[in-house]
């Protein structure tokens, strides 16, 4: 089955980035969200990114027009009736995701692949909410999506080889590199990255070094493009905490214990860049 029309569910940071790379590659994209105003904001953000590319002479005005013309905006899952692939990038909440997959299963043709950008939930459980568990898979992108080269292709226990191959093929077509990962808490990247961030927060919590010093240390001493504390603010402290909790519960291992300081920041609503305040101030 050839993929030419894709629905992306969720027009937040990840969803809009995913939709952008798909449209840039030439796919018809239906961008779906619960409110029209979210969609309008996402398209505005994508148009701005394209303007930056034009300024840098990586794209032309004609490219921008063609890319934007590939978009259809939607607030109704029923618009997925003739797509070959859905990529869900909605809120990282199990009840919401399971509900979306149940609905998509009813609406989309039987051969449509249903992918989730989940960063921590069980893809196997999501697959099991549908009558096509062989055609459900994780397709996990990284922020900022247009820049980050990786896609984790997270296979549910039930995902067929044919489905995985179709997603690897798509990953290559959009200019990204796919890695083959089995469904497991945090998959591969977040299992490694988020405990590293958690440990960086412990280093601050225990007074070993300040946030600025920890970041400087990892930028200059380990060549990270961004220090772990700044990265935590960038990802969202609530997202980091949610992933630590999934690892802690999923492996029943105290080595994944979320740092109390991380919890405190989340309780205070200091979620990082998106709220204007995390370990750093963005006001
Ligand atoms: N959208 C599109 N392009 C962007 C962008 C965005 N949001 N942010 C930056 N860029 C582009 C810039 O245009 C620039 O491109 P150019 O040099 O070709 O013009 C390039 O990226 C570099 O940007 P900057 O010069 O502004 O800044 P930096 O060199 O500091 O790079 C960064 C910014 C790419 C964000 C870099 O700091 C970085 O790689 N940080 C780490 C990001 C990371 O680890 N992400 C993974 C997070 S984990 C995750 O997403 C998983 C989830 O499940 C938690």
């Amino acid at each position: 089955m050839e993929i030419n029309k894709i629905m992306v569910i969720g027009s937040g940071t990840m969803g809009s980035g995913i939709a952008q790379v798909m449209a840039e590659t030439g796919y018809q994209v239906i961008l779906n969200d619960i409110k029209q105003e979210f969609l309008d904001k996402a398209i505005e953000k994508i148009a701005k990114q394209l303007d930056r590319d034009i300024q840098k002479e990586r794209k032309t005005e004609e490219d921008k027009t063609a890319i934007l013309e590939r978009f259809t905006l939607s607030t109704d899952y029923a618009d997925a009736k003739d797509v070959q692939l859905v990529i869900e990038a909605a809120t990282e909440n199990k009840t919401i995701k399971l509900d979306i997959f149940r609905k998509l299963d009813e609406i989309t043709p039987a051969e449509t692949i249903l992918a989730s950008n989940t960063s921590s939930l069980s893809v196997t459980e999501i697959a099991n909410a549908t009558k096509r568990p062989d055609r459900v898979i994780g397709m996990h992108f990284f922020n900022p999506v247009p820049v980050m080269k990786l896609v984790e292709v997270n296979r549910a226990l039930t995902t067929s080889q044919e489905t995985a191959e179709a997603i690897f093929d798509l990953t290559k077509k959009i200019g990204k590199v796919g890695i083959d990962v089995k469904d497991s808490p945090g998959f591969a990247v977040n299992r490694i990255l988020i405990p590293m961030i958690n440990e960086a927060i412990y280093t601050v919590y225990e007074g070993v070094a300040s946030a600025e010093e920890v970041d400087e240390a990892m930028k200059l001493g380990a060549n990270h493009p961004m220090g772990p504390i700044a990265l935590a603010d960038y990802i969202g402290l609530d997202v980091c905490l949610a992933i630590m909790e999934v690892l802690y519960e999923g492996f029943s291992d105290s080595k994944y214990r979320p740092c109390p300081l991380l919890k405190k920041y989340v309780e205070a609503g200091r979620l990082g860049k998106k709220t204007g305040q995390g370990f750093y101030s963005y006001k």
Side-chain angles (χ1 to χ4, degrees):
M1 179 197 48
E2 203 182 325
I3 295 172
N4 49 52
K5 199 171 187 184
I6 301 169
M7 177 181 269
V8 177
I9 296 182
S11 64
T13 310
M14 298 306 283
S16 65
I18 295 167
Q20 183 185 332
V21 294
M22 295 300 164
E24 283 179 354
T25 310
Y27 293 103
Q28 295 297 319
V29 177
I30 304 174
L31 184 57
N32 174 284
D33 211 321
I34 49 176
K35 281 190 185 161
Q36 184 64 38
E37 62 186 270
F38 298 159
L39 295 166
D40 294 340
K41 259 198 194 144
I43 283 294
E44 208 178 292
K45 194 181 133 200
I46 292 168
K48 264 198 196 143
Q49 292 279 348
L50 297 174
D51 285 336
R52 260 178 82 174
D53 285 343
I54 294 170
Q55 270 170 15
K56 295 204 167 180
E57 296 183 350
R58 284 189 293 233
K59 283 195 179 66
T60 62
E61 282 291 346
E62 292 72 40
D63 294 334
K64 179 185 167 186
T65 307
I67 291 165
L68 292 177
E69 275 176 356
R70 289 186 197 117
F71 277 98
T72 309
L73 304 182
S74 149
T75 52
D76 189 350
Y77 296 133
D79 295 328
K81 61 185 183 308
D82 61 349
V83 301
Q84 295 83 37
L85 170 69
V86 180
I87 305 173
E88 170 276 320
T91 311
E92 195 70 359
N93 171 301
K94 190 158 94 177
T95 312
I96 293 175
K97 291 215 195 253
L98 293 181
D99 186 48
I100 291 173
F101 275 77
R102 272 186 214 109
K103 284 186 181 135
L104 290 174
D105 194 33
E106 282 168 20
I107 290 161
T108 57
E111 62 276 14
T112 297
I113 296 175
L114 306 179
S116 175
N117 179 55
T118 183
S119 55
S120 59
L121 301 175
S122 163
V123 184
T124 305
E125 193 175 348
I126 295 173
N128 196 33
T130 72
K131 292 184 200 76
R132 66 183 88 184
D134 58 318
R135 304 192 73 74
V136 176
I137 193 162
M139 195 176 185
H140 185 210
F141 291 82
F142 295 84
N143 189 20
V145 177
V147 179
M148 304 299 279
K149 279 278 176 200
L150 185 72
V151 173
E152 267 184 326
V153 180
N154 296 324
R155 298 182 194 229
L157 193 69
T158 47
T159 304
S160 69
Q161 182 61 18
E162 193 193 0
T163 300
E165 276 168 18
I167 296 302
F168 273 112
D169 187 45
L170 173 70
T171 299
K172 208 169 167 190
K173 284 191 176 134
I174 59 172
K176 307 232 182 259
V177 176
I179 56 160
D180 200 343
V181 182
K182 287 196 193 84
D183 193 16
S184 173
F187 309 111
V189 173
N190 284 340
R191 180 176 177 169
I192 301 164
L193 179 69
I194 307 298
M196 189 271 291
I197 287 174
N198 194 49
E199 201 58 34
I201 299 171
Y202 265 116
T203 309
V204 175
Y205 178 58
E206 291 172 6
V208 176
S210 67
E212 290 82 0
E213 283 162 333
V214 165
D215 279 350
E216 201 67 348
M218 294 307 282
K219 281 198 291 183
L220 302 183
N223 245 2
H224 287 199
M226 205 184 242
I229 307 284
L231 182 56
D233 273 359
Y234 185 69
I235 293 171
L237 300 182
D238 53 336
V239 176
C240 293
L241 177 60
I243 296 170
M244 280 314 293
E245 280 168 346
V246 164
L247 294 171
Y248 192 42
E249 278 168 31
F251 293 113
S252 304
D253 190 331
S254 63
K255 77 176 177 184
Y256 297 112
R257 188 170 71 103
C259 178
L261 188 60
L262 173 60
K263 283 188 171 173
K264 213 38 91 197
Y265 270 74
V266 173
E267 282 164 9
R270 294 184 172 184
L271 306 183
K273 216 172 164 190
K274 63 185 165 190
T275 59
Q277 181 71 50
F279 284 93
Y280 295 100
S281 177
Y282 301 89
K283 280 165 193 150

